[in-house]
Amino acid sequence: MRFLSYVLIFLLFFAGNATFAANKYSIIPQPQSLIPQEGKFSLNTETKIVVTFADSRILQLAKDFAAQMKLVSGLRMEFVQSATKNAIIFKEDKTLAGEAYSLVVSPENITLKASTSNGVFYALQTIYQLMPAQVYGKKLMKQEWSVPGVSITDAPRFAYRGLHLDVSRHFFPISFVKKYIDAMAIHKLNKFHWHLTDDQGWRLEIKKYPLLTKVGSRRVESLVGLYAENYPKRYDDDAHGGYYTQDEAREIVRYAQERYITVIPEIEMPGHSSAAIASYPFLSCERKPIKVAKDWGVMKDVFCPRDSTFQFLENVLDEVMDIFPSEYIHIGGDECPKDRWRVCPDCQARIKAENLKGESGLQSYFIHRIEKYVNSKGRKIIGWDEILDGGLAPNATVMSWRGVNGGIAAAKAGHQVIMTPSAYCYFDHYQADPSTEPITIGGYLPLKNVYTYEPIPAELTPEEGKFILGAQGNVWAEYQKTTTDVEYMTFPRVAALAEVVWTNTNSKNWDRFRTSLGEQFLRYKQLGITPSKVFFDVSSRIESASEQQLKVVLETDNPDCEIRYTTDGSLPDKNSKLYDKAVVLTESSTIKALAYKANQPLGKMFSKNFIVSKVTGCEYIQNPVNTWYRGQSTYALTDGEVGNAKSYGQWVAIRSVDGELIFDLKKQETITRLMVGLLNAPALNGYYPPLVTVSVSDDGVAYEQVSSENINSNRTMGTWSVYRPELVFPPVHARFVKLTLKNAGPGSNPDEEGGQSQIMMDEIGIW
């Protein structure tokens, strides 16, 4: 009983000192088993290194470790055949799996065990993270160098732990690609998906087809702003180009191999092929010259499945496979419009000759044929989940990005799957309120959402779940023009992904992870990485919404701070109200907040408007109901949240017809005004309605108009903008309120849903 009491006291102490424990063992990704031990191992001039492995790669890893320690500490550690005290011992243990390792640190020695060089490499990454962040630096630091006592047994949960980089939309130099790989290594990721070709640029030298880089690697200009922001579109008039020679690509392969990372190249087909077609027009259905794409999005010119196209692609793949020794070659397969195929005599002849089921069957034929060729070379293909359409190639691995359904279908059919759903794995999405963030493609993926992702869908049986190889983070670069932009979008979200793919679910803990991130930011600084600091910012979410009341939760990912806030529009400071529970708003307000530590502000100031009215949190009748975009909930127009012009995720859109919204106030109310948020988005054919009217009723049948506003037509062209008309009228008693919005008529952008225009709305308030 006394023993159990001591154990309980220890556990309570450890739980109460979670911050201390996490700071002492700030390892990301978290090991499967970590047992704290007393004391620490101190490195000094007498420390020895013992390597008992016969594998020369492990000896080299030990030498690399010694060299880095000498660089930052000045210590010269001698390699000896045998030592038990004041030693770092590399010991072979054949009972451990390939990437597994064990690590025991005591005051006498560090004993590292593994069966392969992979395991040794990951053990060393853990040792680095047990030391001060300066161990990642490039200069001598006069300080104590020690490793806290610990016993670790560790192995990855998934075999595939990936990170992607798009170099087609914007080209990044070899030096940055190496830096990116270095960052992958400290997160114990092992697959680098290199997206080398797309509509906007071909980035790999192919000796048999020199025009791919002479022509296809360069576009004359690039789109300005969001792809859906401006109409007519605007461009920057700056040529953009660049490519990697085959020697440079081989250097990246070698560099990655030294860090136990496999480079998986992607050569897009049959869609996203404008750059290749611009170089060699015979590859398209129309055989007409085109330009390397300067817009983002999906282009209609795609590879035509003629024999000459397949010969071209086989020749390209021969050179690709000669450069990249990876088991997998990624062939894209996504977002392939069928417009050209439908009217192409050669495509229709192929469909008839092969007895295919239309154009979807033709795409399946295309993928099958390429897979057969790649398989003949002893390799396998990966494709985005569109390769499921029309029938999946027999040996293909599916990369599920359009949600999880593609991965579920492939796994149930017995195919290997890599999960990368955009809702959890697309690092080009906003990581905080879009109004405060650099422009990007859209979406919303905060750090915690990445961390909570579970790659094995609940719909799969345990046997089916074995087909999930792992998961991958994707970094698309339409809006990441510089290497700093890429770093901002990738870090620290990749740290969260690292735990998703490495750490067992029962070892994951959000509070422990976010406490450890403080040390991870210091490591990023030593590595010259510029991460997002959203971690230190305040964010909000609605806890509940009801008539004339809104409960707003303020929070921050950083656990080591307090939040100070105001609701009267004034700037918060260290003396402002301390946040301790949800803020209750009974009228429309602007909340401003800052995170503080030791009376010093952290991160950006939070500022957001909230609408509170008689219809806050109320349902409403919307006609028509078949809208283009329904917002984020059935209360999208009454949830208290105000939309912004950087993302249309919060907006409700009604396409091609007039809009009508009816609010039931449940009882007779006196009202005098209505406000509605409207978005002008000309590239989406989204225009301010030329006429907005408000009508009221006692019975919901007979309505009387009480106010209207004609919105000037000059608001309907140009760039994105927001207008919030407030329709004021004499006091009226009513139960039902009807808002009618007139459609602006045919849109000017014929490429957007056939030119049909739409009304785009956000928060509505009635007082």
Side-chain angles (χ1 to χ4, degrees):
M1 183 63 70
R2 183 181 297 177
F3 171 76
L4 291 176
S5 298
Y6 288 152
V7 170
L8 181 60
I9 290 169
F10 171 78
L11 291 175
L12 289 172
F13 174 82
F14 193 84
N17 289 273
T19 300
F20 166 77
N23 287 338
K24 188 177 181 182
Y25 304 104
S26 296
I27 303 170
I28 297 175
Q30 176 75 357
Q32 308 302 0
S33 171
L34 185 155
I35 303 173
Q37 303 291 324
E38 291 186 358
K40 61 185 177 181
F41 177 81
S42 297
L43 288 80
N44 55 50
T45 56
E46 301 300 318
T47 301
K48 305 293 191 293
I49 294 179
V50 180
V51 179
T52 63
F53 288 83
D55 190 334
S56 61
R57 292 174 297 176
I58 293 172
L59 179 60
Q60 185 59 52
L61 287 172
K63 288 181 177 179
D64 292 342
F65 171 76
Q68 181 64 19
M69 291 308 305
K70 179 178 178 295
L71 176 65
V72 297
S73 70
L75 300 175
R76 297 174 181 269
M77 290 181 282
E78 181 184 357
F79 281 72
V80 298
Q81 294 294 317
S82 177
T84 58
K85 293 186 177 181
N86 198 7
I88 302 172
I89 305 167
F90 292 70
K91 187 176 289 187
E92 187 173 25
D93 185 345
K94 289 294 187 182
T95 67
L96 294 170
E99 292 185 304
Y101 68 91
S102 71
L103 182 67
V104 177
V105 180
S106 71
E108 291 190 338
N109 60 53
I110 296 176
T111 302
L112 178 165
K113 294 182 181 179
S115 64
T116 67
S117 55
N118 301 59
V120 171
F121 181 78
Y122 296 131
L124 287 171
Q125 302 315 305
T126 297
I127 291 174
Y128 283 132
Q129 291 199 17
L130 288 168
M131 301 174 76
Q134 289 82 357
V135 73
Y136 292 100
K138 301 297 182 185
K139 61 183 180 180
L140 185 67
M141 298 293 294
K142 294 293 185 181
Q143 63 182 61
E144 179 190 12
W145 291 95
S146 63
V147 182
V150 72
S151 177
I152 291 173
T153 304
D154 201 10
R157 182 185 178 198
F158 290 103
Y160 190 105
R161 308 181 299 280
L163 187 62
H164 156 285
L165 180 63
D166 169 20
V167 296
S168 298
R169 276 50 179 265
H170 284 97
F171 177 78
F172 305 113
I174 283 290
S175 58
F176 177 72
V177 178
K178 289 182 175 180
K179 182 180 181 182
Y180 200 73
I181 290 170
D182 284 338
M184 288 181 63
I186 75 165
H187 293 91
K188 298 186 174 81
L189 302 178
N190 67 347
K191 298 292 189 290
F192 173 45
H193 176 177
W194 205 4
H195 186 81
L196 290 163
T197 74
D198 215 296
D199 294 303
Q200 295 80 15
W202 185 286
R203 304 298 180 204
L204 179 66
E205 177 190 26
I206 302 296
K207 295 185 183 296
K208 192 174 184 67
Y209 300 106
L211 294 184
L212 287 172
T213 46
K214 185 176 181 180
V215 175
S217 70
R218 193 169 184 82
R219 62 178 181 267
V220 296
E221 56 188 355
S222 303
L223 188 69
V224 171
L226 283 168
Y227 74 98
E229 180 179 353
N230 302 299
Y231 194 82
K233 297 176 182 177
R234 295 188 291 121
Y235 300 91
D236 59 14
D237 295 324
D238 292 330
H240 182 84
Y243 68 91
Y244 307 103
T245 68
Q246 293 196 3
D247 286 344
E248 287 175 324
R250 287 190 173 91
E251 169 62 14
I252 289 298
V253 169
R254 181 200 63 76
Y255 191 85
Q257 285 174 336
E258 290 176 352
R259 288 148 183 82
Y260 296 86
I261 293 170
T262 300
V263 182
I264 299 174
E266 181 178 0
I267 306 297
E268 275 274 11
M269 61 185 82
H272 287 293
S273 47
S274 296
I277 293 170
S279 307
Y280 295 97
F282 77 86
L283 297 170
S284 69
C285 291
E286 296 182 331
R287 294 188 173 95
K288 294 179 180 178
I290 65 171
K291 300 291 186 182
V292 177
K294 59 183 181 179
D295 294 319
W296 316 132
V298 178
M299 311 301 160
K300 292 182 179 179
D301 286 298
V302 301
F303 287 134
C304 183
R306 300 188 191 98
D307 288 342
S308 57
T309 301
F310 286 113
Q311 185 61 60
F312 166 85
L313 290 170
E314 289 171 6
N315 291 336
V316 167
L317 288 169
D318 283 344
E319 294 193 34
V320 169
M321 288 186 283
D322 185 59
I323 299 167
F324 299 95
S326 56
E327 177 186 10
Y328 293 107
I329 303 296
H330 204 301
I331 52 85
D334 63 314
E335 297 179 324
C336 180
K338 311 299 191 296
D339 305 61
R340 301 287 190 256
W341 289 1
R342 291 188 185 98
V343 296
C344 171
D346 292 335
C347 291
Q348 295 305 309
R350 177 77 74 183
I351 290 171
K352 185 176 181 180
E354 300 291 342
N355 194 28
L356 305 175
K357 294 181 179 179
E359 288 73 31
S360 293
L362 184 57
Q363 175 160 340
S364 181
Y365 167 83
F366 194 112
I367 300 299
H368 277 69
R369 183 161 170 174
I370 290 296
E371 186 200 41
K372 185 176 180 180
Y373 185 77
V374 172
N375 289 167
S376 74
K377 302 296 182 178
R379 310 292 187 88
K380 299 177 182 178
I381 67 165
I382 299 175
W384 302 106
D385 56 48
E386 284 94 332
I387 67 173
L388 288 161
D389 301 345
L392 185 57
N395 302 308
T397 295
V398 172
M399 191 166 272
S400 186
W401 75 278
R402 297 178 299 176
V404 300
N405 289 338
I408 292 170
K412 284 184 175 294
H415 286 268
Q416 293 183 324
V417 178
I418 299 156
M419 299 301 291
T420 180
S422 59
Y424 295 97
C425 298
Y426 270 46
F427 295 165
D428 58 331
H429 289 184
Y430 288 107
Q431 53 196 313
D433 184 343
S435 65
T436 67
E437 285 290 284
I439 187 172
T440 189
I441 199 165
Y444 179 60
L445 181 56
L447 181 69
K448 189 174 184 179
N449 286 22
V450 180
Y451 191 81
T452 57
Y453 177 53
E454 168 49 50
I456 300 180
E459 293 85 345
L460 299 181
T461 67
E463 284 302 309
E464 291 167 343
K466 293 177 182 178
F467 289 103
I468 307 298
L469 298 180
Q472 174 177 289
N474 291 337
V475 184
W476 300 101
E478 288 93 339
Y479 299 97
Q480 279 63 258
K481 296 181 180 180
T482 68
T483 58
T484 301
D485 293 339
V486 173
E487 291 172 8
Y488 183 89
M489 300 302 289
T490 306
F491 305 94
R493 287 188 287 189
V494 72
L497 179 73
E499 293 217 352
V500 168
V501 292
W502 180 279
T503 307
N504 287 336
T505 53
N506 59 1
S507 297
K508 286 178 63 183
N509 181 287
W510 167 248
D511 288 333
R512 188 266 314 149
F513 169 77
R514 66 195 187 120
T515 300
S516 296
L517 265 184
E519 192 69 19
Q520 194 79 345
F521 278 105
L522 298 179
R523 294 169 191 145
Y524 291 154
K525 183 177 181 180
Q526 292 296 322
L527 291 165
I529 292 170
T530 306
S532 165
K533 296 295 182 66
V534 166
F535 176 79
F536 300 99
D537 297 344
V538 177
S539 62
S540 70
R541 59 181 172 85
I542 304 297
E543 182 178 274
S544 65
S546 58
E547 181 184 348
Q548 291 296 154
Q549 188 178 95
L550 202 62
K551 288 187 176 181
V552 182
V553 173
L554 301 179
E555 52 197 357
T556 174
D557 290 338
N558 178 18
D560 190 21
C561 67
E562 61 184 25
I563 297 174
R564 300 282 178 171
Y565 73 98
T566 65
T567 58
D568 60 1
S570 63
L571 296 178
D573 59 30
K574 63 183 180 181
N575 298 313
S576 297
K577 189 171 182 179
L578 176 66
Y579 176 82
D580 60 353
K581 60 183 178 180
V583 180
V584 178
L585 301 177
T586 57
E587 60 182 8
S588 298
S589 305
T590 298
I591 296 179
K592 296 185 178 183
L594 263 175
Y596 278 85
K597 180 179 179 180
N599 291 329
Q600 295 299 312
L602 305 173
K604 299 191 294 285
M605 186 186 71
F606 170 87
S607 179
K608 194 166 187 176
N609 299 323
F610 296 91
I611 304 298
V612 181
S613 78
K614 293 181 183 296
V615 293
T616 299
C618 295
E619 293 184 356
Y620 45 85
I621 298 172
Q622 177 184 325
N623 294 308
V625 294
N626 56 330
T627 57
W628 171 71
Y629 200 84
R630 295 187 62 83
Q632 295 174 326
S633 73
T634 56
Y635 302 91
L637 297 176
T638 61
D639 60 4
E641 294 267 12
V642 175
N644 65 77
K646 276 192 174 181
S647 173
Y648 51 80
Q650 293 171 279
W651 298 82
V652 171
I654 298 175
R655 188 183 292 283
S656 76
V657 296
D658 295 345
E660 181 183 273
L661 295 149
I662 296 175
F663 298 87
D664 182 355
L665 304 179
K666 303 301 182 184
K667 63 181 187 296
Q668 290 280 331
E669 295 271 10
T670 301
I671 58 174
T672 61
R673 59 192 173 103
L674 179 148
M675 185 204 72
V676 56
L678 300 171
L679 176 66
N680 187 62
L684 296 173
N685 286 329
Y687 305 116
Y688 295 141
L691 177 64
V692 179
T693 62
V694 178
S695 303
V696 298
S697 171
D698 292 329
D699 57 9
V701 177
Y703 281 88
E704 176 187 0
Q705 181 177 315
V706 294
S707 184
S708 66
E709 178 175 337
N710 291 293
I711 301 179
N712 196 308
S713 61
N714 64 16
R715 295 182 182 276
T716 64
M717 292 300 293
T719 188
W720 281 37
S721 57
V722 175
Y723 178 49
R724 303 190 188 281
E726 190 167 324
L727 287 82
V728 180
F729 41 88
V732 60
H733 300 282
R735 172 176 172 176
F736 298 92
V737 181
K738 179 164 65 177
L739 173 66
T740 305
L741 308 102
K742 186 172 181 58
N743 188 279
S748 56
N749 183 359
D751 294 328
E752 179 61 34
E753 292 294 328
Q756 299 179 60
S757 63
Q758 57 191 349
I759 304 162
M760 303 185 74
M761 303 171 288
D762 78 334
E763 197 67 16
I764 293 172
I766 298 175
W767 297 270

